[in-house]
């Protein structure tokens, strides 16, 4: 008989901690519904004590989602647990995820405590959370660097106190796959009562080993994996959901473990999260990258044409990639667009569909084939809030041996402002013109330009990171004109600055 692995998705908590990826509550609900559709077992919806926005998101996601368990993160602190319990009051199934650092680094240099006192705090937190909910998960932060004998004592104590799931995070992404696998094996073999709870993996990707470590944990007895869509997360990210699910599916004969994930919804979920979080998916990303199923070399193309399995270990349609269905053109109607949106995991009402359709027709005038990434971008545009500072007009003159010049008009809260500037290139000239109008000391720290699909008529995406008064703000812009996309990205970041008195 096969075993079942529970998928715990933390895109909306650990994933959302990435600078520049923050979502508003409406967007989080949209992602949560997509995760539910995908079939995840648990949605970690936020860290309610950390901000009123996080609290509200957990409340609203609890109302919007019907069957997955909704989880709220806390420290091993009573106030955190009180607030988490309050945020979960509408959840059909609620879980509190509490915990504390267990490595020597955390015990001595972060918490300034000692190992026995940490066990006492861990037990007290679990017991306190149990007063509110039956389902309590405990995390032993930095378990990856925690000595196994001591970790076993912590795990045994929290299970005795009532923890239903014990999370063994490799917080710093440091362990090797065999070390992580051995750690889970050690706990399975040395913790009294270990079968009264589920052991969970939560691996970070600092050394590119998150997926390998998670699989090693599963092969040694962990039955919950904490993952994010596209592997997003702090620093190098978390274990990616799509990789774990497709490893278990593709290597089922060896691993004999199932998940409840509908794999055909993976591609849509990936595109939705990438769009709403403004986080590009690297082209060679396993499973969901643009090139994941592209065979460019002649030998491979020939082999695939003879028999797909010569070079493909997965069928792209299994993850929801269906090349023949991807193209839409200016002749496609509203129904075709809506159907495509549904396949991509977007639920839109009539008003939003009208707006997206209008933008779609405008884009189809400029670009021959509209692909899934383009559509996801249009949905992102329709979801974004009205901006205070808008680009009204932009004209640039540039070319070989010409001094680049830009003329710009901004609409700031309904008032129009014009400026003209030169620069060392057209983007530089346009940004300088914007700066003449906004009069604020903003420095561009990062400027990433990406073409989305293919062809010179493609949409260019620009991600920008700016610094203002020691704070970082992120902006995103997309347009078939790369200068316009750059100015839009700059304005997106500027719109997030505190409004000057
Ligand atoms: O990486 C980590 O240790 C975490 C815990 C808070 C679960 O995210
Ligand atoms: Zn984490």
């Amino acid at each position: 008989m096969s075993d079942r692995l529970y998928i715990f998705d933390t895109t909306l908590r650990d994933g959302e901690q990435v600078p520049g990826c923050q979502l508003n509550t409406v967007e989080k609900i949209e992602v949560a519904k997509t995760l539910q559709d995908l079939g995840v077992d648990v949605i970690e919806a936020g860290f309610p004590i950390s901000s009123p926005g996080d609290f509200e998101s957990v409340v609203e996601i609890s109302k919007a989602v019907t069957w997955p368990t909704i989880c709220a993160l806390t420290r091993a602190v009573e106030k955190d647990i009180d607030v988490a319990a309050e945020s979960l009051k509408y959840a059909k199934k609620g879980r509190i995820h509490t915990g504390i650092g267990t490595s020597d680094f955390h015990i001595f240099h972060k918490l300034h405590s000692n190992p026995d006192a940490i066990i006492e705090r861990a037990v007290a937190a679990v017991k306190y959370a149990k007063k509110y909910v039956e389902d309590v998960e405990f995390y032993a932060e930095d378990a990856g660097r925690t000595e196994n004998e001591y970790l076993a004592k912590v795990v045994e104590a929290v299970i005795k106190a009532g923890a239903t799931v014990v999370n063994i995070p490799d917080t710093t992404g440091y362990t090797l796959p065999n070390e992580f696998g051995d750690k889970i094996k050690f706990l399975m073999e040395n913790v009294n009562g270990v079968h009264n709870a589920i052991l969970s993996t939560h691996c970070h990707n600092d050394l590119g080993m998150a997926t390998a470590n998670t699989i090693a944990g599963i092969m040694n007895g962990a039955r919950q994996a904490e993952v994010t869509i596209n592997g997003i997360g702090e620093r190098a990210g978390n274990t990616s959901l799509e990789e774990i699910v497709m490893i278990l599916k593709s290597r089922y004969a060896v691993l004999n473990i199932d998940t409840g994930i509908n794999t055909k919804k993976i591609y849509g979920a990936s595109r939705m999260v990438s769009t709403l979080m403004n986080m590009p998916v690297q082209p060679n990303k396993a499973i969901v990258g643009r090139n994941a199923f592209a065979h460019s070399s002649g030998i491979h193309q020939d082999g695939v044409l003879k028999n797909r399995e010569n070079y493909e270990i997965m069928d792209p349609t299994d993850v929801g990639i269906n090349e023949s269905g991807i193209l839409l053109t200016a002749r496609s109607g509203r129904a075709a667009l809506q159907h495509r949106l549904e396949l991509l995991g977007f639920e839109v009402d009539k008003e939003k569909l009208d707006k997206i359709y209008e933008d779609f027709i405008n884009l189809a005038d400029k670009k021959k084939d509209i692909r899934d990434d383009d559509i996801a971008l249009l949905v992102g545009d329709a979801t974004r809030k009205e901006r205070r500072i808008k680009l009204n007009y932009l004209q640039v003159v540039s070319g070989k041996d010409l001094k680049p010049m830009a003329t710009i008009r901004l609409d700031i809260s309904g008032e129009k402002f014009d400026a003209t500037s030169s620069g060392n290139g057209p983007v530089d000239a346009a940004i300088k013109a914007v700066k003449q109008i906004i009069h604020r000391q903003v420095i561009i720290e990062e400027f990433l330009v990406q073409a989305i699909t293919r062809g010179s008529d493609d949409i260019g995406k620009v991600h920008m990171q700016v610094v203002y008064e020691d704070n970082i703000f992120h902006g995103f812009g997309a347009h078939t004109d790369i200068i316009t996309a750059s100015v839009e990205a700059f304005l997106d970041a500027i719109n997030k600055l505190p409004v000057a008195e």
Side-chain angles (χ1 to χ4, degrees), residues 348-498:
V348 292
D349 57 23
K350 176 160 180 334
E351 196 186 332
K352 201 154 153 197
L353 178 67
D354 287 348
K355 164 89 184 84
I356 297 169
Y357 189 69
E358 192 187 317
D359 294 347
F360 162 76
I361 292 296
N362 285 336
L363 180 62
D365 273 349
K366 300 194 187 104
K367 191 171 185 281
K368 206 166 75 229
D369 305 322
I370 308 290
R371 291 170 183 271
D372 289 350
D373 284 304
D374 302 325
I375 293 170
L377 268 180
L378 298 179
V379 179
D381 281 351
T383 310
R384 224 157 273 134
K385 279 210 306 258
E386 253 305 84
R387 290 172 175 164
R388 195 175 69 84
I389 308 175
K390 289 189 278 245
L391 177 64
N392 251 202
Y393 172 86
L394 168 68
Q395 187 182 38
V396 286
V397 179
S398 78
K400 191 169 176 320
D401 300 329
L402 277 180
K403 187 166 184 58
M405 296 289 294
T407 301
I408 208 155
R409 174 171 301 146
L410 299 184
D411 174 325
I412 307 183
S413 307
E415 227 184 304
K416 307 280 186 288
F417 298 86
D418 294 306
T420 297
S421 177
S422 60
N424 68 9
V427 173
D428 186 46
I431 299 287
K432 281 188 172 137
V434 172
K435 283 186 175 174
Q436 279 182 25
I437 300 174
I438 60 162
H439 299 301
R440 297 177 96 177
Q441 283 302 320
V442 181
I443 296 162
I444 298 178
E445 276 223 330
E446 215 177 278
F447 178 31
L448 175 73
V449 183
Q450 227 195 4
I452 298 178
T453 44
R454 54 207 100 182
S456 57
D457 64 348
D458 200 358
I459 291 187
K461 285 207 236 181
V462 175
H463 290 262
M464 221 179 253
Q465 184 171 305
V466 306
V467 177
Y468 175 69
E469 292 184 344
D470 291 338
N471 292 313
I472 292 175
F473 300 87
H474 291 84
F476 172 74
H479 202 277
T480 46
D481 178 295
I482 203 68
I483 321 287
T484 305
S486 307
V487 174
E488 290 286 11
F490 188 60
L491 292 179
D492 188 30
I494 299 299
N495 271 290
K496 294 172 185 159
L497 264 49

Side-chain angles (χ1 to χ4, degrees), residues 113-129:
S113 184
N114 65 70
D116 289 341
I118 291 298
I119 296 185
E120 271 172 38
R121 277 188 66 181
V123 166
V126 170
K127 287 190 174 158
Y128 192 74

